[in-house]
Amino acid sequence: MSDLDEAYRLEYFEEEGFMRKQCTQCGAHFWTRDESQETCGEPPCDDYAFIDDPGFSEEYSLGEMREAFLSFFEDHGHERIDPYPVAANRWRDDVLLTQASIYDFQPLVTSGKTPPPANPLTISQPCIRMQDIDNVGKTGRHTMAFEMMAHHAFNAREDAPEDLAYQGEVYWKDETVELCDDLFAEMGADPEEITYIEDPWVGGGNAGPAFEVLYKGAELATLVFMSMEQDPEGEYEMKDGNSYSPMDTYIVDTGYGLERWTWVSQGTPTVYEAIYPDTIEFLKENAGIELTAKERDLVHSASKLAGRMDIDEIEHVDAAREEIADKLDVETETIEALLSPLEDIYAIADHARTLAYMFGDGIVPSNVGTGYLARMVLRRTKRLADDVGVDAPIEALVDMQADRLGYDNRDTIREMVSTEVEKYEETLERGGRRVRQIAQDYADEGRPIPKETLVELYDSHGIQPEMVEDIAEEVGATVDVPDDFYSLVAQRHDTTGAVAEETATDERLADLPATERLFYDDQYRTEFEAVILDVFEREDGYDVVLDQTMFYPEGGGQPADHGTLSTSDTTVEVRDVQREGEVILHRTDEKPSKGEFVRGQIDVERRRRLMRHHTATHIVIHAARQVLGDHIRQAGAQKGTDSSRIDVTHFRRLDRETIKEIERLANDIVLEDLSVQVEWPDRHEAEEAFGFDLYQGGIPAGENIRLVHVGDDVQACGGTHVQHTGEIGSIKILSTERVQDGVERITFAAGEAATEHVQAMEDDLLDAAEAFDVSPEEVPATADRFFSEWKERGKRIEELKEELAAARASGGSAGEEVTVGDTTAVVQRVDTDMDELRATANAIVEEGKIAVVASGRDGAQFVVAVPDGSDVNAGEVVGELASQVGGGGGGPPDFAQGGGPEADALEDALAAAPDILRRVADV
């Protein structure tokens, strides 16, 4: 296998006098201008050298640093483009959150299927990396939310296919490193202190050589040269153990951390003081954290060593803390007591910013996907705030960051956070009992609570490991929480679970041309002529391939058209239509002949109903966004002929008034008779004009995408639609339900289907009016009165049962009294239902007596109850009694029930009851 050594030997390095060296601490190879440099410059091999000694000639704020970077690359021939959302699943279906600027261009641009929005380009992309969550606050440099400033160039090899969306080379490795050096020089950096560490990059099936760029102990940039793809026969073996070979495209993928550049320019003890100065001061004051001058000096010294706390590089945080304490010549407990509250404060500030990004971009807390990750961050923020003594509302902290980031939906963000905090507090109350039982079980077994149980408790019940530790200590159980616990949890959810669709496996389709789709030319046309290109037999019929078709294949939540295909000899029913690749298959019950001309006829009524429902779907989600907010996004949809449903992201249940408002607004759009427009613009132009809300129903491929405009609503959509909203007639919301936490389902009907549903409801109302013998207007009040009377009767029946049970217990009905030790027991047969048996037993126990009550109404049934202080175990007694009537039973020691089918044996069992009681009581 080949290695990448030659890939790192750049002409620029030779021209500039760089030397290749190997770190004496970690063994990494690096390039430097400094002849005396022996280590790579990265913690823990080297400590931060810019704290109190800023690395640049000027101090920058976040905004100033961002502008300086973007302007530099604009001056060097790059086009500035706007950042994408942090929710990457808005434009791609294989990841959840944006973790790097290259995510904006994967997979369509990087594969060469579509052109980039500019080439070369520069961007400052907000990102969220959940895997860094456990490092936040500890290392002084890690932030979960950050902006990746970047420049990218998209190149294609000379022998690459001509159909790639871009050709030729813009620039490559030497120019990239030179640009990096020039940026440092413009910022006033000392070139002798810049180090380029060789660190091959692998990810997502691609790979390439890469440099980590270190300056004064801080990693400020990563320069990736994406140029290879995974290939079992490839000549390059990478660090993931797989083989790779060159790909047709080769891409400059750089990342410059905005927050770290700002930090190095200021030289503050941690990155958090540089980017959240006001928030940090507010949180310290709110938590009552005050340090003496000596303590401040100690914290300041420790901050220069904080790079050693990276959990990805160490075995255990406690050991790293001890090492820092040793270097500062203080007790570990002292440094722990000083730093832990500050680390919590830093993490709270960072998490609040992360949540502002998430909720600002429309993520809704839930138990799956991005919603789960948002919920995890929010709950950890709440726990940290409680632990450190911050009593400011979490929604206020998140709002501070949302304001700084310029989000317009701050009211929704505050409401979302406060609602989620309430849910979390309810979860803690419920889950605490579960944790106590688990901790007690492990304590009894003398085993520590394992990591897998901690993760499952968090996943299933939202219980954080710190709470498990507290409860475990109370009951004498032990637990060892991993330093990277939250990273482990995030890894379980930081993926869409999407599986790449396999291409058509039927080789018979490979040589067939793409089917021409006539349904896009005229959605109202219902007849057409075509040629049968081929017919394939299936287990339950035939697949007919035509050269062109009006039949819409199933897709995007819209069912397929039905209809007929007719030749001069026969007519066959089309009962399903599917698409495989670019070929459309018409599934029939009979076999027409290959090569024949055929006349197709669409089921007109079915097509019209589906068109109305599909356009109505766009209208309903638009109305929901208008009423509920911009966080509303489609989480699934299914159109039909009688009704349709759409799932939307929302953080609370929809009440009746809200549903009526959505329905009213939707019907206003119908009554306006708006024109429904369709266009096929360039993908990037469409995204720039309308944003990623275009992709409500899925993410299409291709340079051009089909947009459907319904009034102000614009969506990428491949379905069939009416030409004017007035053709829908009306929209009726039939029901709503919560399909999962954070997702509401709206079921509705449109057009004739809406009329049919309204008529059906009217029929039900008239039937109810007739049954009640009142007018339709009086049905609600009458039903309410009947229901109230029914509840009152039920209550009265229960009261009478309790009175009867009390009468029986006090001697109103025959029952044998026997002595069991120091307690009297009543053995009584009452042929009634189980409810009355329990009531009778409870009444007897209230008198301080043991109750053995039985019924022969439905087989043989027993209830045994004992008062406090009795030695009788009710569960054991019921078990023995039930076994005598061919059954079983049991329960806790104070109250149990059971029975069996042999009612004839009931009297004998009751006769044996006194002896059973005495035996169980051991008297």
Side-chain angles (χ1 to χ4, degrees), residues 457-526:
L457 280 170
Y458 186 89
D459 251 1
S460 301
H461 303 282
I463 303 300
Q464 299 191 3
E466 295 85 357
M467 179 178 178
V468 179
E469 279 187 304
D470 293 343
I471 295 176
E473 185 177 357
E474 291 175 13
V475 300
T478 58
V479 55
D480 185 16
V481 181
D483 293 329
D484 60 347
F485 173 81
Y486 289 97
S487 299
L488 293 172
V489 175
Q491 287 171 13
R492 296 180 66 171
H493 297 269
D494 197 9
T495 175
T496 62
V499 178
E501 292 185 10
E502 295 184 4
T503 55
T505 55
D506 194 336
E507 295 180 359
R508 297 174 298 180
L509 303 179
D511 297 328
L512 290 172
T515 308
E516 185 178 352
R517 303 173 212 175
L518 302 177
F519 47 81
Y520 283 151
D521 298 333
D522 183 357
Q523 296 172 97
Y524 287 80
R525 183 178 164 193
T526 59

Side-chain angles (χ1 to χ4, degrees), residues 767-774 778-779 782-783 786:
D767 288 345
E770 184 177 350
F772 286 140
D773 193 22
V774 296
E778 295 175 298
V779 166
T782 304
F786 274 40

Side-chain angles (χ1 to χ4, degrees), residues 35 77 145 201 219 265-267 296 341 385 489 496 521 551 599 757 818 873 876:
E35 290 186 11
W201 173 85
E219 182 186 342
S265 81
Q266 295 183 21
R296 285 196 297 272
V489 175
T496 62
D521 298 333
F551 282 90
R599 177 179 293 278
H757 279 284
V818 297
N873 185 306
E876 291 184 30

Side-chain angles (χ1 to χ4, degrees), residues 61 119 147 181 185 287 316 354 367 388 439 572 650 706 726 740 841:
S61 67
N119 198 11
E147 282 189 45
D181 250 11
H316 205 284
T354 301
N367 52 14
V388 80
V572 298
H650 190 49
R706 184 175 186 258
Q740 67 183 47

Side-chain angles (χ1 to χ4, degrees), residues 60 62-83 101 120-126 147-152 179 183 186-187 254 256 258 261:
Y60 292 81
L62 283 175
E64 291 167 344
M65 182 61 75
R66 182 192 302 112
E67 184 55 39
F69 177 91
L70 294 173
S71 296
F72 172 86
F73 281 97
E74 279 184 317
D75 293 342
H76 287 75
H78 294 68
E79 183 175 331
R80 182 190 304 206
I81 68 168
D82 292 333
S101 57
L121 61 83
T122 186
I123 188 174
S124 188
Q125 174 60 50
E147 282 189 45
M148 180 177 282
M149 305 184 297
H151 63 98
H152 297 281
L179 284 167
L183 176 64
E186 183 155 309
M187 304 301 291
T254 68
Y256 294 70
L258 169 63
W261 280 74

Side-chain angles (χ1 to χ4, degrees), residues 134 139 187 248 260 269 346 362 485 499 502 530 706 717 728 883 896:
D134 294 293
T139 64
M187 304 301 291
D248 293 330
R260 292 190 188 176
Y346 299 148
F485 173 81
V499 178
E502 295 184 4
R706 184 175 186 258
C717 179
I728 295 172
S883 68

Side-chain angles (χ1 to χ4, degrees), residues 644-680:
S644 293
R645 68 173 187 265
I646 185 164
D647 298 340
V648 298
T649 54
H650 190 49
F651 53 91
R652 62 175 39 157
R653 293 305 318 273
L654 303 180
D655 59 32
R656 180 61 186 155
E657 289 305 312
T658 301
I659 295 165
K660 287 164 65 176
E661 180 62 16
I662 294 171
E663 183 178 276
R664 184 196 62 76
L665 185 56
N667 280 293
D668 285 348
I669 295 171
V670 171
L671 291 172
E672 288 181 50
D673 197 26
L674 301 174
S675 175
V676 178
Q677 300 291 328
V678 177
E679 61 169 330
W680 290 81

